[in-house]
Amino acid sequence: MQHIQFSNLNREKYIERLKTESFDLVIIGGGITGAGIALDAASRGLKVALLEKNDFASGTSSKSTKLIHGGLRYLKQFDFWLVKEVGSERAIVHKLAPHLVLPEKMLLPLIENGSYGKWLTSIGLKVYDILAQVTGDDKRQMLEKKEALKLEPLLPKKILNGAGYYAEYRTDDARLTIENIKTSLMFGAQALNYASVTDFLYKNEKVAGVKVRDEISATDFEIKSKYVISAAGPWVDDLRVLNNSKKGKQLHLTKGVHLVFPYEKLPVKQSVYFDIPDGRMMFAIPRGKITYVGTTDTNYNDNKDKVRTDIADAIYLISAVNNMFPDINLELDDIVSSWAGLRPLIHEEGKSASELSRKDEIFVSDTGLISIAGGKLTGYRKMAERVVDRVVEKLKSEDDTEIIKCYTDKISLCGNDNFKKYKHVKKYIDSVYERIKPNGFSKHDAWFLVTNYGEQTESILERYEKRTEKDNPTKLVLAELEFGIHNEMVLNPMDFFIRRTGRLYFDIESITQYMDPVLKEFKRIFKTEDVQLNTWREILESEIKEHSDFSLNRT
């Protein structure tokens, strides 16, 4: 399997290339939208540079509900176009990365006076199946009360009338982002994290590149480009202000919070999409050792770089869970982790946060800056296609260049060389487990490796074999870290623990367990000074506290 080296150990060389070459397209924003655009544009033959001011996927794209789902609730808003598009996209994205986009059955309990009645749900899920072209076992089933309780004994017996049972997909949004970026490199794209755009370059009053600050060396450089796309999510309007083009439609940010509990505290047998007394809907999703729940949808006007889960969010979500599952009695102390992110939606006068459309929109300024905002994780590939089509039209009108149409629906993502179907992924998990079992590893360890890295697990296991640590779990984590540093632009422990592995959310205790050996490895590979290592340790400790401590006296 081919791995392109993608490492901050080569940072100076990357910056030199960005400074000296000219590009067709610079993309600002290394979230899922920017990553999708980079892959789409590079695979069509455009010369592409992608810039991210923090780490890849550090904004919204590591803080979603982590579902590739069809947006059943948009049927209630009669948004059939959105349901059709994202519904069809689910199957495509699953095919591109079946190790990363996993089939997940979803149970929709029908309760007395709930949002969805039996008839509406039956019709709705049928329409959903047709629009999303769902086939085989994944087609919706309508369950009687007895069948629903057999599938999920935790449901409220007194008010339960039955359930809808249908198919969705679960993912790790930050991993999906990094694999899109790594795949774009195979087509010649260049990408850099910790590089913020401070201004635009202009030629004849048109945007002709960007001014960049390298956040690591605190130096500035310029990149020349025919076009610039801003896919900066919640920061799109900030860049429009910089470009003096923020007029007409603008962003409306809403906050979405998720809480994480030990699986024993909320042992749902599959994902459940359920009613909240205030009329909204919520997910409870089991994932390995934990179950997470979400989400809130509230207006947000605070610091975009520091979005926090506050106690009011936590109490709201906990009471919603306790209301739907009467035998569960969650408390603030049961929270092991949490995350809070922003949705960059398009403002619509008179609409509440949860009524706003999830459709994406493209804005083009008089100076030619192209911005894209809105949209859903599931629709990232189509959003990329639409915005790259705009660039292609412009290039065509300038010099009649013939550029091929989008074909990202056929480009397997990194980590998927041989998986044609999900059953091949399951088979591979079994084979990895057989290989690592003699060293004391569990089936969960094999599942974790494969659902994060796919067939790149081979590279991690090769590194594992060469390492000399005595403790096998530590040895495997350091092999993973080594892979991340050499192939995934990991620059600090937060990149590794939060975005490349999801440990802050799904296995928070492991951070404390492996913090020392991980910091030691940074010292070995990057020759990091002790002062910096101590700063990182403090950041990690404060991240753990912020995401998991919900005592009522929290400040």
Side-chain angles (χ1 to χ4, degrees), residues 173-321:
D173 45 7
R175 293 264 2 135
L176 189 63
T177 302
I178 195 75
E179 299 301 13
N180 265 278
I181 293 171
K182 283 157 59 185
T183 310
S184 77
L185 304 180
M186 310 228 180
F187 295 92
Q190 295 178 45
L192 192 66
N193 51 0
Y194 298 101
S196 50
V197 169
T198 55
D199 207 346
F200 297 96
L201 301 175
Y202 296 91
K203 189 178 173 184
N204 303 327
E205 295 183 2
K206 293 286 179 189
V207 170
V210 289
K211 294 181 180 180
V212 185
R213 154 106 345 177
D214 173 17
E215 297 292 350
I216 306 309
S217 64
T219 55
D220 299 299
F221 62 97
E222 295 181 351
I223 304 176
K224 293 182 180 59
S225 171
K226 289 180 189 166
Y227 293 99
V228 175
I229 293 179
S230 166
W235 293 269
V236 155
D237 276 355
D238 298 20
L239 286 162
R240 290 167 80 202
V241 168
L242 200 59
N243 178 242
N244 297 314
S245 61
K246 190 187 159 196
K247 50 179 188 273
K249 287 193 174 179
Q250 53 185 303
L251 292 192
H252 182 135
L253 302 181
T254 77
K255 180 171 84 162
V257 165
H258 296 80
L259 303 180
V260 181
F261 299 95
Y263 181 72
E264 309 77 70
K265 291 282 181 185
L266 184 53
V268 285
K269 295 186 172 184
Q270 66 277 299
S271 293
V272 185
Y273 183 40
F274 60 93
D275 281 87
I276 304 182
D278 67 6
R280 293 190 65 252
M281 298 288 291
M282 197 165 125
F283 292 102
I285 300 167
R287 185 188 184 112
K289 303 172 181 179
I290 58 97
T291 301
Y292 66 94
V293 301
T295 175
T296 58
D297 203 353
T298 51
N299 293 325
Y300 189 82
N301 301 304
D302 218 339
N303 182 352
K304 294 192 283 283
D305 290 296
K306 198 71 186 154
V307 189
R308 294 184 55 157
T309 302
D310 56 42
I311 284 195
D313 300 320
I315 290 171
Y316 172 82
L317 291 173
I318 282 178
S319 57
V321 174

Side-chain angles (χ1 to χ4, degrees), residues 164-176:
Y165 196 46
Y166 62 108
E168 293 287 21
Y169 295 92
R170 179 160 58 73
T171 193
D172 182 313
D173 45 7
R175 293 264 2 135
L176 189 63

